Amino acid sequence: MTASTSVVFRRQQALLRTLYWVFKPFALFTRRIDWVVGPEDIALMATHIAEALPNSYTAIHARNPFYDVPYDAVIQTSSTALGGRLATWRRLYGGPILLAWLVNRARGFIYVGGGAFLEGHHDEREFEFAFIRSRGRRLVCYFTGNDIRSPRLSVERAEQSGRPNIGSILVTIDPVFATPEYDDARRTRAQVAERHSEAIFNARNDQLSYLEGRTYPFLYFYPDEQFVGPTAKFEAPERIVVVHAPSNPLLKGTDVVREVMARITQSHPQVEYRELIGVPHEQVLAALDEAHIALNEFYASVPGVFGVEAMARRCVLVTSARVADEPDLGEDAEGAWAVADVDTLHDVITDVLAHPERMSRLADRGWDWSMRHASASASRRALERALSSEPGSER
């Protein structure tokens, strides 16, 4: 922690403590909130969780440029909108001001990702979480990936399994992920989360971490209305559309996907490969409506959000997720998608193309699994069960 950031952090702490008492009498006359969800909206997870829980409030640090969704509060705004100095002050001190107000109004907080309202990376949110809990508020952590994943543990797992994973790939991309300091921060984050939260959601093996207690399975909250009905696109198509839309090409295996699809489109002229990077979300969904096969990610143990979107759009999903690696997926995940790693991707796609009569059935099985396990209605039921449990009783 540098001297300047340490000063900012101390000011944020003082501001939070002071404004909590300043706002307290005013909050008595405002609507109570059951859950504050934020401060990051990774892959729209905060948005979907808030939609699943009545009387929720979304409080976000900054908007994602790829999603046009409304929030109840956004801390950061562009410097052009407010002026550079005011925007800087809002970024530094808007978080503790908003948190002071919300702690007075809310019954609980669901933290999505590794972010904080204060400069939480200095103590991995210890002060912030302790402050919330000391005021009798509920606290839940919802981890989404690298916010909790340990690269060191991931590398060990890759060596044992003989297959690379997201964590082991990370250390080859940027040496910072291989440093003891980075891994120690993830260890501390896990300890802080377990010390203060009543429930933790995490993909146990895909997001291999230092969490030691009970965790609840990762829930996707994909909107039910986005699940399409039966489709005729598999009925004797003149061309087979294959879509890949990586949020991070290095971590999704996109280099291998490109090499494999170059070979396949050459040997299968009826196959059209579409790669979408950095495009609006609506454009991705439109592509999936036309696609027959969706290539998700190939170092992961669970389907990504794009994979769920593809299954909801009745595409044949090809991904590295497998029940043997992540039992929380459920036994009915077997056969819901085609399993492929980077070194088997060509053979798996070729096999799918060789049996067009199976594609529609495979797409339907993926649709069924995602509706039962990844839809907003199914996720809402699972979340409500977890939140209705006696705090700490299942951990």
Side-chain angles (χ1 to χ4, degrees), residues 41 60-74 76:
D41 197 14
I60 304 298
H61 257 298
R63 294 184 180 277
N64 187 318
F66 298 111
Y67 299 109
D68 183 19
V69 294
Y71 300 113
D72 294 298
V74 179
Q76 295 181 225

Side-chain angles (χ1 to χ4, degrees), residues 110-322:
I110 299 177
Y111 275 73
V112 178
F117 289 91
L118 278 64
E119 293 285 345
H121 61 278
H122 293 314
D123 65 350
E124 298 303 330
R125 306 187 289 194
E126 171 66 36
F127 172 83
E128 189 166 322
F129 283 5
F131 182 89
I132 291 171
R133 294 296 277 168
S134 69
R135 270 63 185 178
R137 305 304 186 253
R138 303 180 69 182
L139 181 66
V140 172
C141 285
Y142 202 102
F143 292 112
T144 62
N146 290 331
D147 46 25
I148 195 64
R149 182 182 287 114
S150 162
R152 186 181 71 80
L153 296 179
S154 299
V155 168
E156 292 177 357
R157 184 181 177 210
E159 293 172 348
Q160 294 169 0
S161 66
R163 296 195 309 273
N165 55 55
I166 293 177
S168 68
I169 294 298
L170 275 174
V171 301
T172 67
I173 295 174
D174 189 336
V176 71
F177 294 109
T179 62
E181 292 79 10
Y182 182 91
D183 204 67
D184 288 344
R186 294 302 176 273
R187 185 194 301 273
T188 302
R189 183 173 295 177
Q191 293 170 344
V192 170
E194 293 197 305
R195 185 157 51 245
H196 296 291
S197 61
E198 66 182 67
I200 297 174
F201 291 82
N202 185 48
R204 285 184 294 170
N205 293 322
D206 186 74
Q207 298 169 188
L208 193 59
S209 70
Y210 291 106
L211 294 168
E212 297 179 351
R214 162 77 184 273
T215 61
Y216 293 92
F218 182 90
L219 304 172
Y220 292 89
F221 292 94
Y222 195 65
D224 289 44
E225 61 272 16
Q226 295 292 338
F227 284 78
V228 303
T231 177
K233 63 183 176 181
F234 292 101
E235 296 178 6
E238 295 182 1
R239 60 193 174 104
I240 301 294
V241 178
V242 181
V243 170
H244 180 52
S247 56
N248 186 323
L250 292 174
L251 294 182
K252 308 300 183 182
T254 301
D255 54 342
V256 176
V257 169
R258 289 170 178 164
E259 186 272 329
V260 165
M261 290 310 303
R263 293 163 56 193
I264 287 178
T265 52
Q266 185 174 13
S267 59
H268 297 75
Q270 81 280 17
V271 174
E272 176 186 344
Y273 173 60
R274 300 180 187 175
E275 183 175 295
L276 305 175
I277 298 178
V279 302
H281 188 232
E282 293 75 13
Q283 188 173 333
V284 174
L285 296 181
L288 288 175
D289 284 334
E290 298 180 2
H292 302 86
I293 300 172
L295 308 181
N296 188 199
E297 50 187 312
F298 300 98
Y299 300 120
S301 300
V302 297
V305 172
F306 172 73
V308 171
E309 290 175 331
M311 289 187 284
R313 248 51 189 190
R314 292 190 186 269
C315 298
V316 174
L317 179 65
V318 182
T319 187
S320 56
R322 42 170 55 84

